[in-house]
Amino acid sequence: MAHYNCMLIDLDNTLLDFDAAEDAALRETLRHFELPEDAATMEKYKEINRALWRELEQGTIKKEKLLTLRFSKLLGWLKRSLSAGKVNDYYMNNLANQAQLLPGAIEFLTDVEDYVTIGIITNGSYRAQLNRAELSGIAAFADGIFISEKLGVTKPDKRFVNLALDKLGVNSRKRVLVVGDSLTADIKCGAAAGVDTCWCNFQGEENTTKIAPTHTVRGFEQLKAVILEQEELEHVGEKKKYQL
């Protein structure tokens, strides 16, 4: 029997390559509005966006405000008079069509889907994230897709995990694993909800926080070994899902 029978796994930079998606959508947006596409502008946007998402995780800003404010700040830095709302709408439309997978993501899901209930968890925009999950093929593996905009709570609020498990019909927390690339969102959220966690440290970053994940992995093969027992690793794809 697998070590875990339910996995709540993050979408961006855990299964999907958000950095590539962001770059493609942002460049197209800047080009469309005749704004500079240089490295300095790209990095300034990312700096603004990262700071605002940290505020969202801390509960000091609402998602609706964040989406427009990031472009309002960028336009102010560029000294350009455009509607931040229109720029954001164009960007989000482009982002929704970006579904670049991280190498090995589909193979990983294929190998573990017979053994675990899979819930996709993300703080992103509902329309964009749902479309990206479907375009990438990830949605086909999911028993549920849980997006903060629809749930009404944002990671790392423990209610995010609680609501997802309730909707999946998972009653026991003993064999639930929350998986993600963000210590401050995914891992903190899982720990707050009282379940095991796995930090996907695919970039080999240093953990400078006081957040301690149950497991840390550098790739999908290691993650698979966290979830499955040795015998199952040798026979992936041959069994059906365990009943919860």
Side-chain angles (χ1 to χ4, degrees):
M1 184 176 291
H3 299 300
Y4 296 97
N5 62 9
C6 179
M7 173 181 66
L8 300 180
I9 186 166
D10 176 53
L11 191 62
D12 282 322
N13 285 337
T14 303
L15 293 171
L16 292 182
D17 187 341
F18 180 74
D19 295 337
E22 180 183 52
D23 280 355
L26 183 58
R27 287 188 183 281
E28 172 56 30
T29 300
L30 295 173
R31 187 178 304 120
H32 177 79
F33 288 99
E34 299 182 345
L35 297 169
E37 295 178 49
D38 57 276
T41 302
M42 297 282 289
E43 183 52 40
K44 186 63 179 179
Y45 167 81
K46 292 178 182 181
E47 175 189 318
I48 292 168
N49 196 44
R50 284 193 297 266
L52 290 173
W53 277 97
R54 283 195 295 270
E55 288 187 36
L56 181 71
E57 290 175 6
Q58 294 163 4
T60 59
I61 191 174
K62 296 293 186 182
K63 171 79 72 59
E64 298 78 13
K65 183 176 181 180
L66 180 157
L67 297 178
T68 302
L69 184 58
R70 57 188 176 180
F71 283 106
S72 178
K73 285 178 173 288
L74 180 66
L75 291 168
W77 182 76
L78 289 170
K79 296 181 172 58
R80 296 290 296 271
S81 296
L82 291 170
S83 166
K86 288 183 178 179
V87 176
N88 180 69
D89 287 346
Y90 191 89
Y91 169 78
M92 292 302 296
N93 286 334
N94 274 275
L95 184 63
N97 293 313
Q98 304 296 329
Q100 297 90 331
L101 286 155
L102 286 177
I106 290 294
E107 292 81 0
F108 162 72
L109 292 172
T110 300
D111 285 346
V112 303
E113 69 165 337
D114 287 343
Y115 301 90
V116 296
T117 294
I118 299 173
I120 304 298
I121 57 175
T122 174
N123 274 348
S125 165
Y126 180 76
R127 182 173 60 83
Q129 297 300 73
L130 186 61
N131 200 55
R132 294 174 69 228
E134 291 174 347
L135 285 176
S136 65
I138 286 173
F141 295 91
D143 295 288
I145 299 176
F146 306 102
I147 303 172
S148 60
E149 194 173 288
K150 202 73 170 178
L151 285 184
V153 292
T154 302
K155 294 180 291 182
D157 190 322
K158 66 181 180 181
R159 290 176 296 171
F160 195 113
V161 166
N162 294 336
L163 287 167
L165 293 179
D166 286 346
K167 290 178 182 296
L168 288 171
V170 177
N171 298 316
S172 173
R173 305 297 179 92
K174 293 180 179 179
R175 294 171 59 212
V176 173
L177 183 69
V178 170
V179 180
D181 69 298
S182 173
L183 287 165
T184 56
D186 307 309
I187 306 309
K188 186 176 180 180
C189 186
V195 301
D196 283 3
T197 59
C198 184
W199 180 31
C200 292
N201 186 15
F202 294 163
Q203 303 301 320
E205 299 174 357
E206 181 183 357
N207 183 354
T208 58
T209 74
K210 294 182 180 180
I211 301 168
T214 312
H215 310 277
T216 298
V217 297
R218 292 292 302 274
F220 287 115
E221 286 301 309
Q222 289 183 6
L223 177 56
K224 190 162 54 176
V226 166
I227 296 168
L228 304 181
E229 292 185 346
Q230 184 58 40
E231 182 180 354
E232 293 163 337
L233 289 170
E234 296 170 359
H235 301 284
V236 290
E238 296 177 7
K239 295 181 180 180
K240 297 298 181 183
K241 283 184 180 176
Y242 291 115
Q243 295 296 317
L244 293 173

